[in-house]
Amino acid sequence: MVRVLFFKTFSVACATTHIKNCFPGQIFIQEGFNHQGGGFMMGGAERHLWFNDNFDSGCLILDTGCRMKRCTDITSSGNKNRFSIRTNVINAEEVKIIKVADAAIYPDSGKVEIQEDAVMTQLVNTNIIANTSTREHNFYNASVKILGRKQYIGSGTYDYVDRTGSHQEIVFSSISVDTSGNTAGTGKISDSAGFMLSPEVAFTGDVNLEAPVKEMTFTGAFKPLVDCGNLGSNWVKFSARVNPDNVKLPVSDPIKNRSSEKLLLGLAYSNTENIIYPAFFTPRRSFSDTIMISATGMMEYQIPASTYKVGVVDTTGNFSSSTPHVSLNTFNCMMRSEGKINLGFNSGPLLMESHGTMDYYILPDSTSLRLALIYDFPFEEGVLEKIRTQMTSTNLAGIQLFNTPFNFVFNELTPEKERDKLKSEIETVGRFRKFPETLIKTLIIADVKMSYDTLTRSFISNGPIGIGSIKDGMVNRYLNGRIEMSRKRNGDEFTIYLEISPNDWYFFNYRNNVMQFISSDIDLNDMIREAQLNNNELKRIGKLWRGYRYTLSTDRKKRDFIRKFEVGEE
């Protein structure tokens, strides 16, 4: 085996004791050269210098300035290597490997030519493995120019292998050694290449490789592929390292396309058409449209569920339960949004929040919601306490709170460090030992199913209504009833009808800063009448919300509300 070592440039006097009678192009055999088996020979008309298989130390080559150079380590087999005194050229054959910096370079023909001044001719159709320790990256069909023991430049082709084992070519126009001595490469993928990060996600842009790192960095834009009616998607700007076996891509806030135009991922409400529509990495139809829910963070494709999912990922690598998620099932074309949902109402001083799940079926065009609703408004405290007592003292179906949308409210309003303890209290004794201040609201509905009616521009409940809490006390009961929240030109309207039994009910209606209430319980109605005449109560309400008041409603208003749904159900 022949090993030819070229040393890093440094000046040396030709008359030193180490190198005697030197001349440009001279080969000097280092100490340690094994003379057994023939050493080296000079002869023939071409005056070549041959090295035999026992040579295992190296040599120095002097350039025209009488400087020694070391450029790399060449390993070959056989004894077909020769040095031409006439041309100052070394020709090596059957070269198996050349080690440069962190890489191993494999010449295709096995032939290497080293010219005067230790200049190695460019290698073509070679393989490069980088680095020699991890052997993670392999370039082929590479063109390489070796510049020294720690430097080379070139270009080559690289196979990107996705989770299915499919191979796709990436042409790296630049391969070199960075300042840390590691191989680095840059390539570009055009739109027309049809390149796929995974079978579900296309990519266009730049690719950067660092040999010590398994994952390459992709900078450009990705595009999820969907086939759900007229639901389209845009190219989404991003830059990240990508694991081909498990592609997860960052979705920035705000989301932008390649032209830096803002995109939406989620559900929106058109204030001009009065419809709900999905947006899957597409712009809002109109700037005036209300964004009901959107998500950013990380996108992954969940194979068993055939679903794209986007949301914030926590430290465990799972999607956070306290931030919004948006997913699209490519099998049934359903978009699901989870988290805090903006229903787009102008509730004035009435605090109304909705949290939960919103399902939009693209085929057909329909929306269903399962929500927890927070209503917070000043009201007669004694009435609220009595309503809570009546509900909890009646044999009604209970709620498993943390299997309902209440869990979204809980995660939103309670400190993370207290959640496990608070959950344990509910699950063991059915109440909080000390009611969390952040959950003290006039009414928290823990679980209700709703749908949107485009004709009446209303969200309407369907089925039982789970009452979570009233003020600082748990209820945890399902009641019959109806909730309607309507958009109206002269003031949005909120109506809540709750029924313990057909003869025991409560009716709330809010519009234009006035909360109306009536009940089947005459005592509760009397308490409202008295409160209207109580100056202290009026002052208390005025300090809390200026211009707001509550008053007694009419039985007819309650009957009209119930009747319109009875007609619709017949």
Side-chain angles (χ1 to χ4, degrees):
M1 179 175 290
V2 175
R3 296 169 62 85
V4 184
L5 303 178
F6 299 100
F7 289 79
K8 185 178 179 181
T9 300
F10 61 94
S11 297
V12 61
C14 289
T16 62
T17 55
H18 297 287
I19 304 177
K20 298 180 180 179
N21 303 318
C22 67
F23 57 86
Q26 179 182 1
I27 297 295
F28 175 74
I29 307 300
Q30 287 183 311
E31 291 182 2
F33 173 73
N34 186 347
H35 292 274
Q36 295 179 2
F40 66 89
M41 298 178 291
M42 291 185 62
E46 298 296 322
R47 298 187 65 197
H48 292 142
L49 185 65
W50 285 270
F51 303 97
N52 74 349
D53 290 346
N54 293 319
F55 177 73
D56 193 25
S57 180
C59 67
L60 298 176
I61 184 168
L62 305 183
D63 65 11
T64 55
C66 208
R67 293 186 301 270
M68 292 184 292
K69 289 186 175 181
R70 177 175 185 175
C71 74
T72 190
D73 184 337
I74 306 174
T75 301
S76 68
S77 61
N79 56 2
K80 299 180 180 179
N81 309 287
R82 60 186 184 174
F83 170 69
S84 172
I85 300 298
R86 176 181 301 171
T87 61
N88 292 331
V89 172
I90 293 177
N91 288 286
E93 298 183 19
E94 299 183 19
V95 176
K96 301 299 182 184
I97 182 173
I98 306 173
K99 294 182 180 179
V100 184
D102 66 336
I105 300 172
Y106 297 85
D108 175 59
S109 65
K111 296 179 180 180
V112 175
E113 182 179 281
I114 304 169
Q115 298 176 342
E116 189 173 3
D117 293 338
V119 175
M120 186 177 294
T121 56
Q122 183 164 299
L123 304 174
V124 296
N125 199 29
T126 63
N127 280 12
I128 305 172
I129 291 180
N131 55 36
T132 54
S133 298
T134 62
R135 303 178 71 86
E136 290 287 358
H137 305 290
N138 179 25
F139 300 92
Y140 60 95
N141 292 338
S143 176
V144 178
K145 180 71 173 177
I146 297 174
L147 304 176
R149 183 168 59 92
K150 296 182 179 180
Q151 284 292 333
Y152 74 96
I153 58 174
S155 60
T157 304
Y158 185 98
D159 274 353
Y160 176 91
V161 184
D162 68 15
R163 71 166 191 271
T164 67
S166 175
H167 289 239
Q168 296 174 89
E169 293 183 355
I170 302 175
V171 176
F172 280 79
S173 58
S174 174
I175 306 170
S176 60
V177 180
D178 63 20
T179 55
S180 301
N182 297 312
T183 293
T186 59
K188 183 176 287 290
I189 299 171
S190 65
D191 294 14
S192 60
F195 186 88
M196 305 294 292
L197 293 172
S198 69
E200 302 80 22
V201 182
F203 171 80
T204 181
D206 299 328
V207 186
N208 291 278
L209 177 150
E210 300 172 64
V213 183
K214 180 179 180 180
E215 293 84 9
M216 295 186 291
T217 299
F218 291 78
T219 301
F222 69 82
K223 184 177 184 181
L225 303 186
V226 295
D227 183 16
C228 290
N230 59 0
L231 182 71
S233 65
N234 264 263
W235 289 101
V236 182
K237 285 178 70 173
F238 85 109
S239 179
R241 287 177 177 167
V242 175
N243 178 1
D245 297 324
N246 185 18
V247 174
K248 295 183 179 181
L249 304 175
V251 178
S252 62
D253 185 11
I255 308 171
K256 294 183 178 181
N257 63 15
R258 289 184 292 180
S259 301
S260 294
E261 298 171 327
K262 290 184 179 180
L263 305 176
L264 174 64
L265 172 67
L267 292 164
Y269 180 83
S270 171
N271 292 299
T272 55
E273 300 178 63
N274 299 318
I275 60 171
I276 296 170
Y277 67 88
F280 191 66
F281 298 113
T282 52
R284 279 188 289 177
R285 295 180 183 177
S286 170
F287 183 76
S288 64
D289 292 349
T290 299
I291 298 176
M292 303 183 72
I293 187 169
S294 63
T296 56
M298 191 71 70
M299 185 189 82
E300 70 175 15
Y301 185 79
Q302 299 176 334
I303 301 170
S306 301
T307 297
Y308 295 98
K309 187 168 185 177
V310 176
V312 174
V313 175
D314 59 25
T315 54
T316 65
N318 297 314
F319 286 100
S320 171
S321 59
S322 57
T323 55
H325 312 152
V326 173
S327 59
L328 175 66
N329 186 302
T330 58
F331 179 75
N332 60 14
C333 292
M334 182 191 79
M335 178 177 283
R336 167 165 290 183
S337 301
E338 301 174 278
K340 188 174 182 178
I341 299 171
N342 176 17
L343 297 180
F345 289 107
N346 180 12
S347 58
L350 169 68
L351 171 65
M352 194 282 293
E353 290 184 3
S354 55
H355 302 251
T357 301
M358 190 171 179
D359 292 340
Y360 181 91
Y361 290 88
I362 298 166
L363 302 171
D365 181 2
S366 62
T367 306
S368 62
L369 305 92
R370 187 182 178 191
L371 300 175
L373 299 171
I374 299 174
Y375 294 99
D376 203 14
F377 52 90
F379 204 68
E380 212 289 326
E381 300 286 337
V383 171
L384 295 174
E385 185 175 347
K386 191 170 183 181
I387 291 173
R388 185 177 67 225
T389 301
Q390 290 174 351
M391 289 180 179
T392 54
S393 61
T394 306
N395 186 20
L396 299 169
I399 302 173
Q400 292 183 329
L401 268 184
F402 298 108
N403 291 330
T404 71
F406 176 81
N407 202 42
F408 292 101
V409 173
F410 182 78
N411 289 330
E412 173 88 9
L413 299 182
T414 58
E416 185 175 2
K417 62 182 180 180
E418 298 179 13
R419 289 175 195 161
D420 289 342
K421 179 178 72 71
L422 293 172
K423 278 186 177 182
S424 177
E425 291 173 0
I426 290 292
E427 290 168 352
T428 53
V429 299
R431 60 182 176 83
F432 298 116
R433 297 186 188 278
K434 181 181 178 182
F435 204 92
E437 289 187 10
T438 53
L439 290 178
I440 299 177
K441 308 294 180 184
T442 307
L443 174 65
I444 295 181
I445 295 173
D447 188 17
V448 60
K449 294 178 181 178
M450 306 192 82
S451 58
Y452 181 70
D453 188 324
T454 54
L455 294 178
T456 62
R457 303 172 66 198
S458 302
F459 289 93
I460 302 169
S461 70
N462 304 286
I465 300 170
I467 306 300
S469 61
I470 296 176
K471 297 299 285 188
D472 60 352
M474 300 303 298
V475 176
N476 287 356
R477 300 290 194 278
Y478 280 106
L479 282 73
N480 291 326
R482 184 79 67 175
I483 298 173
E484 182 182 38
M485 298 181 285
S486 305
R487 286 183 171 84
K488 297 183 181 295
R489 292 182 179 179
N490 55 351
D492 294 344
E493 185 173 15
F494 303 83
T495 306
I496 304 171
Y497 172 72
L498 302 173
E499 184 181 279
I500 294 177
S501 71
N503 297 320
D504 298 287
W505 47 264
Y506 315 95
F507 177 81
F508 295 84
N509 176 267
Y510 173 82
R511 189 176 183 185
N512 294 330
N513 290 356
V514 178
M515 177 66 74
Q516 297 185 46
F517 171 83
I518 193 168
S519 170
S520 58
D521 188 326
I522 298 175
D523 291 340
L524 294 180
N525 297 335
D526 289 341
M527 291 172 71
I528 296 296
R529 288 193 186 94
E530 292 174 4
Q532 290 179 279
L533 302 175
N534 187 321
N535 288 331
N536 290 333
E537 176 66 3
L538 295 176
K539 289 179 181 179
R540 181 182 77 88
I541 298 300
K543 287 181 180 179
L544 291 173
W545 279 343
R546 187 176 179 179
Y548 166 86
R549 63 189 177 93
Y550 61 84
T551 185
L552 189 67
S553 188
T554 64
D555 189 61
R556 178 179 178 179
K557 190 174 184 69
K558 170 257 180 181
R559 286 199 310 270
D560 290 345
F561 177 75
I562 298 300
R563 188 175 294 121
K564 71 177 180 178
F565 294 108
E566 290 174 346
V567 171
E569 291 171 353
E570 290 177 355

